Amino acid sequence: MFIYRAVPFLLGIFLCSIHPSQSKDLQVNKKPNVIIIYTDDQGTLDLNIYGAKDLYTPNMDNLAKKGVRFTQFYTAAPVCSPSRASLLSGRYPQRAGLVTNASSDNGGKSEMSGSQITIAETFQSAGYKTGHIGKWHVGYNPSSMPNQQGFDYSYGHMGGCIDNYSHYFYWHGPNRHDLWRNGEEVWEDGSYFPDRMVEEIEGFLESNQSDPFFLYWALNIPHYPLQGQEKWRNYYNDLPSPRKEYAALISTMDEKIGLVMEKLVELGLEENTIIVFQSDHGHSEEERTFFGGGYAGVYRGAKFSLFEGGIRIPAIISWPGKIPQNEVREQLSVNVDWFPTLLELCNIPKGDHKIDGKSMVEIIRSPTAPSPHDTFFWQCLGGNDPQWAVREGDWKLIHNPVGNHLSESEKTPDKLYLYNISTDPGESENKVKQYPDLVQNLQNQYKVWIDEVTMN
């Protein structure tokens, strides 16, 4: 009995004798924590550090200054649900089983199946505490909601978007309330959802600060409704509409991200936490966002489009002291690549199931490492004539691009458009007639790819 009781006493003496610097070393030697910040409808260049000089985004910019910023980073789909499915599964949306938006109806059948192996399940199996905060939009049935997809804790809305104060679904109504905690509906009338997300994240971090954690923060902004906070509406009051409404929400979001970063510092977690940041796709030009507001610079297109403005997105990874800081990477990379990249950084086996993502660890470490992808493919269903694209090296072939991004004089009978992204990032010079063999080769590759991902 004496020996048993003495163990805690002696352990206490040992812990008290540890120098503060040694204690910090013990903390750093833990498995790294991971936070993925996934924004909603944020334009290609809509951070100050990416070139939007009319925006105030110090906290997002600071993430880039503390890490690696990508300039040719893509999402696997230009619309919400397939983008999220590809992030969570590390797969093309076709292989993940969600090629269009998931249902925003409670009980709706369009979803990413619970049989998919998600990044959260993989981290959970490796002993991580896993959390989802914010937007879900990949399934609204018990079998496809967050707690059945690898998340120990979940708080947020299951459909495509909500009013930030009433938490009702924004597209249709009335009487479609959408706010959930761990599969149970919760009512928080009048509370500003971005503030609630920050509070939930702070609670998650406090509860799990002694354990490795994986947190998926799927922000519902700057997606409409454009309900930026008053201080930011006033700040941008001199900008034209709809830029000022959109900008107010961007800076509201930036402020909330800053609060979470402050909490990491307060808890002593910053140096052992990998932060990934990206938008789900390009900015919206829908009526609900006043037909614009986002900024893509030279890049043509927006949300729903496979032109660069729809799929080329801001993306950053930060891990103080472990990866380069304030550096830029130009290699082509895609959101499916976070799955194997984060597993490699955290020394977690990725398993033997098929994923399409490829590790970016080498390009994160070196600006001269080759892109992990020789070729990448996209397809968005559109009836009998879907929009699709192939990127191989500097060349990109698009079929049947959607949206009002082509003039009548540019349109072709075969709906094929070939661009050299290196020399023509704005996709303004269609090279189909000059390179027929290349066009045929890319078409053939697409046909092989779509058959393969549809069957598997």
Side-chain angles (χ1 to χ4, degrees):
M1 290 295 294
F2 172 78
I3 295 175
Y4 184 80
R5 289 177 176 175
V7 169
F9 175 75
L10 294 172
L11 179 60
I13 293 175
F14 169 73
L15 291 175
C16 290
S17 68
I18 295 178
H19 189 272
S21 63
Q22 292 176 290
S23 178
K24 185 177 180 180
D25 290 340
L26 291 176
Q27 173 79 0
V28 171
N29 287 333
K30 281 193 349 173
K31 295 178 182 178
N33 308 306
V34 176
I35 299 177
I36 296 178
I37 303 174
Y38 215 63
T39 68
D40 199 358
D41 287 15
Q42 184 175 4
T44 306
L45 302 177
D46 275 322
L47 288 81
N48 184 277
I49 201 167
Y50 270 87
K53 299 306 181 185
D54 59 345
L55 295 179
Y56 183 69
T57 56
N59 296 298
M60 290 185 282
D61 296 342
N62 195 44
L63 283 176
K65 293 172 183 176
K66 290 184 175 181
V68 172
R69 170 169 59 94
F70 297 86
T71 61
Q72 284 201 79
F73 199 95
Y74 293 86
T75 177
V79 66
C80 295
S81 298
S83 170
R84 292 156 202 280
S86 58
L87 169 80
L88 292 167
S89 68
R91 295 175 147 193
Y92 283 113
Q94 289 75 14
R95 207 186 307 278
L98 191 60
V99 296
T100 59
N101 268 341
S103 176
S104 290
D105 293 326
N106 191 346
K109 300 304 180 185
S110 177
E111 63 184 13
M112 182 178 75
S113 168
S115 64
Q116 294 286 338
I117 299 173
T118 70
I119 189 171
E121 289 173 295
T122 308
F123 271 92
Q124 191 180 56
S125 297
Y128 277 65
K129 302 295 184 181
T130 56
H132 152 260
I133 305 294
K135 177 173 175 172
W136 184 241
H137 205 198
V138 292
Y140 210 151
N141 285 293
S143 63
S144 57
M145 288 167 70
N147 297 111
Q148 282 67 50
Q149 297 279 24
F151 290 98
D152 299 312
Y153 186 82
S154 170
Y155 170 86
H157 62 96
M158 299 297 106
C161 62
I162 57 170
D163 177 89
N164 285 292
Y165 295 95
S166 69
H167 317 131
Y168 274 66
F169 183 56
Y170 187 68
W171 297 339
H172 307 295
N175 302 324
R176 294 184 62 183
H177 179 260
D178 184 6
L179 187 60
W180 303 79
R181 178 181 288 108
N182 294 329
E184 298 292 331
E185 189 173 17
V186 294
W187 294 80
E188 298 176 349
D189 305 7
S191 61
Y192 188 52
F193 187 64
D195 284 336
R196 288 293 301 116
M197 286 190 289
V198 170
E199 292 164 0
E200 289 285 333
I201 290 170
E202 289 176 342
F204 179 86
L205 296 178
E206 288 173 352
S207 298
N208 296 291
Q209 60 184 296
S210 299
D211 301 302
F213 59 79
F214 171 85
L215 176 65
Y216 171 45
W217 184 12
L219 282 143
N220 67 319
I221 50 178
H223 193 291
Y224 51 80
L226 301 184
Q227 296 170 314
Q229 291 186 289
E230 181 180 14
K231 67 184 256 185
W232 295 114
R233 295 198 305 270
N234 294 335
Y235 182 89
Y236 291 111
N237 194 50
D238 292 336
L239 287 181
S241 181
R243 181 62 171 174
K244 66 180 181 180
E245 292 89 354
Y246 175 87
L249 198 50
I250 286 281
S251 287
T252 297
M253 178 176 74
D254 183 82
E255 182 178 353
K256 306 312 174 190
I257 290 172
L259 292 173
V260 171
M261 297 304 104
E262 288 176 9
K263 190 66 176 181
L264 285 175
V265 172
E266 175 190 324
L267 296 175
L269 298 173
E270 182 187 30
E271 293 187 7
N272 199 40
T273 300
I274 301 168
I275 307 288
V276 165
F277 170 94
Q278 73 154 89
S279 176
D280 60 347
H281 47 67
H283 67 280
S284 171
E285 295 179 333
E286 297 162 87
E287 181 178 6
R288 298 178 187 91
T289 193
F290 309 108
F291 303 103
Y295 174 61
V298 301
Y299 303 115
R300 185 189 295 221
K303 179 181 179 179
F304 301 116
S305 172
L306 290 179
F307 281 121
E308 292 291 284
I311 53 177
R312 187 189 285 229
I313 53 176
I316 298 164
I317 182 170
S318 171
W319 189 11
K322 301 299 191 302
I323 65 172
Q325 293 193 37
N326 201 25
E327 294 193 11
V328 176
R329 297 292 180 265
E330 298 180 353
Q331 299 95 321
L332 186 155
S333 306
V334 191
N335 69 333
V336 294
D337 299 331
W338 291 126
F339 195 127
T341 300
L342 292 171
L343 294 185
E344 182 175 343
L345 290 174
C346 297
N347 198 28
I348 299 172
K350 69 180 180 68
D352 56 7
H353 74 290
K354 172 69 174 179
I355 65 170
D356 298 298
K358 298 181 180 180
S359 176
M360 298 183 289
V361 169
E362 290 306 312
I363 66 171
I364 289 169
R365 290 173 175 161
S366 170
T368 61
S371 165
H373 297 280
D374 297 323
T375 309
F376 201 83
F377 303 87
W378 294 263
Q379 188 212 54
C380 298
L381 293 182
N384 295 324
D385 195 18
Q387 177 186 205
W388 56 262
V390 182
R391 173 79 190 264
E392 184 177 61
D394 291 333
W395 291 101
K396 179 180 171 187
L397 181 68
I398 309 177
H399 171 259
N400 194 26
V402 304
N404 300 316
H405 303 114
L406 284 172
S407 66
E408 287 300 319
S409 63
E410 290 178 292
K411 293 181 180 178
T412 63
D414 58 9
K415 302 179 183 178
L416 289 172
Y417 304 87
L418 178 69
Y419 304 102
N420 187 304
I421 299 301
S422 176
T423 60
D424 181 25
E427 297 169 292
S428 61
E429 300 179 30
N430 186 4
K431 301 289 189 179
V432 164
K433 292 182 180 179
Q434 291 94 320
Y435 298 95
D437 292 342
L438 175 59
V439 171
Q440 188 62 57
N441 176 265
L442 295 176
Q443 282 184 286
N444 292 340
Q445 289 190 61
Y446 166 75
K447 291 174 183 176
V448 171
W449 169 78
I450 194 61
D451 286 344
E452 193 268 332
V453 293
T454 302
M455 293 171 57
N456 294 278

